Amino acid sequence: MRGKAISVLLCLALVAMALFVTPTAGDYDVKKVKKIPVPWQKWRIVRDPTDPTGEAVIGVEDIIFFDPPGTDDGVYVQREYAVADMAIPLNHLTIQDPEILRQHWVEIDPYPGALIPLNGEIRVTIPITDNDNAVLVRYSVAWESSPDVIEAHFINEAILERGSPPAIRGSLSNFDVHNDYHEPIDNFELELYGNIEPDDILYVYDPAGPPTRYNTSLGTVWYGGWGAPPQINTIPGGIEIEWIDPGHPVQPCEWIHFGVALRLEKKVKRIPAPIQFWRQFSGGVTDFIVYEPEPPAGEPHPEPAALLRDFVVLQDEIPLDDLTWDGTEMLPWEEIDVDMDGDGIRDPAIMEAGDVLEYDIPTNPGDRAVLVRYTVAFGSTPNIIEGHFVNEAIIEANSTPTIVGQLVNFDVHNDYHEKVDNFELELFGVQPSDIDKWYWKGKAPSYYWVNKTWGPTLYGGWGTPPHITWLPSGKGTEIIWKDPDHPIEHCEWVHFGVWVKPGTNLTGVRAYWTQTLQLWGAKAYLTQLIKLIPADIEIHPETLNLKSNGKWVSCIIKLPDGYDEADIDPATMYLESIIPAENPTLTGDSLNVKFDRGDLEDLVVGGGYGRPAEFKVTGQLIGGMSFEGSDTVRIIH
């Protein structure tokens, strides 16, 4: 009898598991039943405009924008802010957490809040002090047409990193969504638009334990990682995050809590950047150039670098802000790397990871500076110059001449296929206090044409002052120049420079072009799982030329046996859930429709060109069943 009871319980458990398991992709559709307004947020450091060095920081700017595709209504937000002496982890960033409750919240917007129109944004600068390590902004959200009906609550956090100057090194977004739909829901979908990819979601709100209801000041809220981990996929123009939890349906008037941690910037291109330091010997100075450090066992070696070096000795030093390749072109340079095989072409020095190049340069008692310049390319493409370096050792005259300054100036080429707005230099064996100053010129970045083979180069302190701090490993210093106001286009150059204290024990260097995560829109939906009919979809043209002046994109829809295309309700058909179908025509066993070509092109602008993109077509039959299908189109520009 006991065994039979156990068997019955086991069967019941298996049935329950079958009911609650996430449905197989392609068997079910996610039906969007309620649109949720999600004005998203970004942060910026605000510098003191009266500080001539640009280092003083007066606050953090909170920018909330509302630009969701396919929405006509604006939103009201009521904001409060707080500053904290410690960062609050994502799993504790909730309205009922003690760390949140103990903060001193300052009201920004009285009722009904600040109105953000479609495609609009609002900004506020929050003052910070040297003791602050996080900035918090929380706000309620309501549609402009119904300001008394709160749809969502947000708590966002900017995690600060102290340095010279401070920087924002973490961005957390937590939010509670209200189910004011008349039925239970078991899915929530968030779509983020911009240069974002699935791996830019670093982690999500997912504390230990199953999803659990709590009674809060909002009402009943589901905490505990409802639907986590979510499914994260690429969609045209951005990503889609889906929390699916049919085992814990959210009833009408209940709330659900979510949270995501976003990557702020990502490395998109490695740059060969051999860096130099100097040592003195009797009768001269030795120029040392170091490349990337030896990688750990099992990791791939970086590609070798190819250098062509020259040197010159001067009786006057050149200041850091004037130490440019173009500005020193007329000096009497002497070749270090020469033509070795008589073919009339100089042979570069090749550097592998862990290598050090040494070259002794004799000096006389009246000399005050030694300069070494070199071009840098990858060893496999020695004719494609990635950077130009001009380095200087400043010598002080006394009974024993001494090196009193090490200056490193360089121009870096953006040969990445997209614009960039960050440059990161990692110096191993160097402490942040070893960086004395940097190239600035005391003015905004300006373009100059340098040499016929270069093209436009930005001088004037791009991204200054840089953020200088320890590497996460503690084995060196990270210098980050960030300038989203002056993005570097493909094939442009940027000039940088730093003054390094003499005697610094530089052991290796890495450099990268990086991109700031730029979001321009967000959409969210309460959704339900419904049975899905797989449809055969053909989209024409197969190649979409963004320079063409075509008006329509055509689509042919065929349903499986047992279903009739005449039962399709054209009013329910959408391309990528945004673009409605037009001009439906039944032809034999298929339904032909058209989609606005301009609307489709708006979706793909900012994405990668020359690559295929998959587009989804959805719709419903007159009886309520849904269908879905997709086709791949090549995008060219």
Side-chain angles (χ1 to χ4, degrees):
M1 188 71 181
R2 182 182 178 192
K4 183 177 180 180
I6 292 175
S7 298
V8 171
L9 290 173
L10 180 59
C11 289
L12 290 173
L14 291 174
V15 169
M17 290 175 63
L19 289 173
F20 295 157
V21 71
T22 300
T24 304
D27 293 338
Y28 285 80
D29 185 23
V30 176
K31 180 183 178 182
K32 297 171 179 175
V33 298
K34 177 72 166 38
K35 187 179 292 183
I36 301 296
V38 282
W40 210 255
Q41 186 182 42
K42 52 190 173 184
W43 308 90
R44 292 188 70 170
I45 288 289
V46 180
R47 305 188 192 281
D48 184 351
T50 66
D51 177 24
T53 69
E55 294 184 64
V57 169
I58 60 174
V60 172
E61 186 177 37
D62 167 57
I63 306 167
I64 302 177
F65 59 95
F66 187 61
D67 189 12
T71 299
D72 297 324
D73 206 356
V75 292
Y76 280 105
V77 297
Q78 277 189 276
R79 297 168 294 171
E80 298 176 297
Y81 78 85
V83 292
D85 55 6
M86 60 180 291
I88 299 174
L90 184 70
N91 283 345
H92 292 270
L93 206 59
T94 69
I95 62 168
Q96 68 171 15
D97 190 89
E99 279 300 318
I100 296 296
L101 295 174
R102 80 174 182 88
Q103 302 300 325
H104 174 64
W105 292 95
V106 179
E107 183 182 72
I108 301 173
D109 308 302
Y111 176 85
L115 176 62
I116 311 179
L118 184 63
N119 306 322
E121 65 179 31
I122 53 175
R123 298 170 177 247
V124 64
T125 297
I126 299 166
I128 60 173
T129 68
D130 291 341
N131 297 321
D132 299 324
N133 288 298
V135 175
L136 305 169
V137 170
R138 66 182 183 185
Y139 50 94
S140 61
V141 182
W143 290 111
E144 179 183 2
S145 57
S146 52
D148 293 326
V149 180
I150 303 302
E151 303 281 354
H153 293 85
F154 281 75
I155 301 180
N156 298 326
E157 179 179 15
I159 299 173
L160 305 179
E161 180 181 62
R162 289 294 150 191
S164 176
I168 299 170
R169 296 308 297 267
S171 177
L172 308 181
S173 295
N174 275 30
F175 47 99
D176 301 284
V177 177
H178 188 213
N179 177 19
D180 56 0
Y181 187 60
H182 61 274
E183 296 177 3
I185 61 102
D186 46 23
N187 289 257
F188 178 73
E189 180 178 313
L190 175 66
E191 299 172 3
L192 299 176
Y193 293 89
N195 65 337
I196 186 170
E197 298 176 346
D199 63 358
D200 293 325
I201 304 298
L202 300 178
Y203 51 94
V204 299
Y205 169 80
D206 189 12
T212 306
R213 292 184 179 94
Y214 289 88
N215 292 321
T216 72
S217 58
L218 296 182
T220 301
V221 181
W222 282 91
Y223 287 110
W226 187 94
Q231 299 177 12
I232 306 175
N233 300 299
T234 300
I235 59 174
I239 65 169
E240 173 186 74
I241 309 173
E242 290 184 280
W243 287 265
I244 302 174
D245 202 337
H248 301 92
V250 179
Q251 301 300 317
C253 291
E254 293 183 342
W255 296 74
I256 331 166
H257 184 79
F258 304 98
V260 295
L262 296 178
R263 189 192 309 276
L264 294 179
E265 58 262 333
K266 50 190 173 183
K267 298 171 180 175
V268 296
K269 178 71 164 43
R270 201 163 188 162
I271 301 296
I275 295 287
Q276 187 179 42
F277 66 94
W278 308 84
R279 293 290 184 267
Q280 202 150 6
F281 67 90
S282 178
V285 297
T286 301
D287 166 54
F288 294 87
I289 301 177
V290 298
Y291 190 36
E292 299 205 16
E294 281 277 358
E299 290 190 10
H301 274 243
E303 187 174 346
L307 287 70
L308 285 174
R309 297 169 293 166
D310 305 303
F311 80 92
V312 66
V313 180
L314 303 175
Q315 293 187 341
D316 294 293
E317 66 180 79
I318 298 177
L320 180 69
D321 282 352
D322 297 326
L323 193 64
T324 67
W325 190 284
D326 191 53
T328 59
E329 186 70 35
M330 302 306 295
L331 296 176
W333 294 97
E334 298 182 48
E335 295 180 354
I336 298 175
D337 302 301
V338 299
D339 175 13
M340 301 293 292
D341 50 17
D343 62 358
I345 301 174
R346 295 174 65 184
D347 296 302
I350 303 298
M351 296 193 73
E352 302 274 358
D355 284 352
V356 179
L357 289 180
E358 298 183 28
Y359 189 78
D360 292 337
I361 301 172
T363 61
N364 295 312
D367 296 330
R368 294 295 174 265
V370 179
L371 278 63
V372 169
R373 70 175 187 180
Y374 46 90
T375 60
V376 182
F378 283 116
S380 61
T381 52
N383 295 323
I384 301 177
I385 304 303
E386 303 280 352
H388 301 84
F389 286 73
V390 182
N391 301 315
E392 179 179 16
I394 298 176
I395 303 171
E396 183 180 71
N398 50 39
S399 57
T400 304
T402 305
I403 297 174
V404 295
Q406 296 186 138
L407 284 62
V408 180
N409 274 31
F410 51 98
D411 304 282
V412 182
H413 186 215
N414 176 22
D415 58 359
Y416 186 59
H417 63 273
E418 297 177 3
K419 66 179 66 173
V420 293
D421 51 16
N422 287 256
F423 182 74
E424 181 176 319
L425 186 65
E426 300 175 356
L427 301 177
F428 293 86
V430 174
Q431 301 180 35
S433 59
D434 292 332
I435 308 301
D436 264 1
K437 27 179 123 161
W438 48 84
Y439 170 82
W440 181 35
K441 276 290 192 183
K443 59 182 179 181
S446 302
Y447 283 105
Y448 293 89
W449 281 90
V450 181
N451 194 303
K452 291 181 180 179
T453 62
W454 284 29
T457 302
L458 269 171
Y459 286 105
W462 186 91
T464 56
H467 179 69
I468 304 172
T469 188
W470 284 100
L471 283 169
S473 64
K475 296 181 179 180
T477 293
E478 179 181 66
I479 308 176
I480 300 175
W481 288 265
K482 181 180 295 189
D483 201 335
D485 293 330
H486 302 93
I488 306 303
E489 302 288 345
H490 174 62
C491 286
E492 292 181 345
W493 295 74
V494 191
H495 185 78
F496 302 97
V498 293
W499 180 305
V500 184
K501 288 182 180 178
T504 301
N505 186 31
L506 182 64
T507 59
V509 60
R510 291 195 186 110
Y512 305 89
W513 281 120
T514 59
Q515 284 181 328
T516 300
L517 181 66
Q518 297 283 358
L519 297 179
W520 58 265
K523 295 192 302 181
Y525 302 91
L526 299 176
T527 58
Q528 292 175 326
L529 288 177
I530 58 175
K531 182 67 177 178
L532 178 67
I533 302 170
D536 183 33
I537 301 295
E538 291 184 20
I539 296 176
H540 298 280
E542 296 179 352
T543 298
L544 188 66
N545 187 341
L546 299 184
K547 293 183 178 179
S548 173
N549 294 320
K551 179 175 176 59
W552 301 106
V553 171
S554 299
C555 180
I556 302 172
I557 303 98
K558 295 182 180 181
L559 299 178
D561 292 342
Y563 299 96
D564 190 345
E565 287 78 7
D567 292 334
I568 295 176
D569 181 1
T572 66
M573 289 186 58
Y574 287 88
L575 178 65
E576 288 301 315
S577 305
I578 296 174
I579 306 172
E582 302 183 50
N583 303 332
T585 304
L586 275 172
T587 306
D589 61 350
S590 67
L591 176 66
N592 297 346
V593 298
K594 296 182 182 297
F595 296 103
D596 188 282
R597 185 185 183 116
D599 289 344
L600 178 58
E601 290 177 354
D602 288 343
L603 280 181
V604 301
V605 168
Y609 302 133
R611 295 180 290 181
E614 187 176 37
F615 295 100
K616 183 189 299 182
V617 176
T618 57
Q620 293 182 359
L621 306 188
I622 294 174
M625 297 189 69
S626 295
F627 68 86
E628 174 185 294
S630 61
D631 195 13
T632 299
V633 176
R634 184 168 177 261
I635 309 297
I636 63 174
H637 189 276

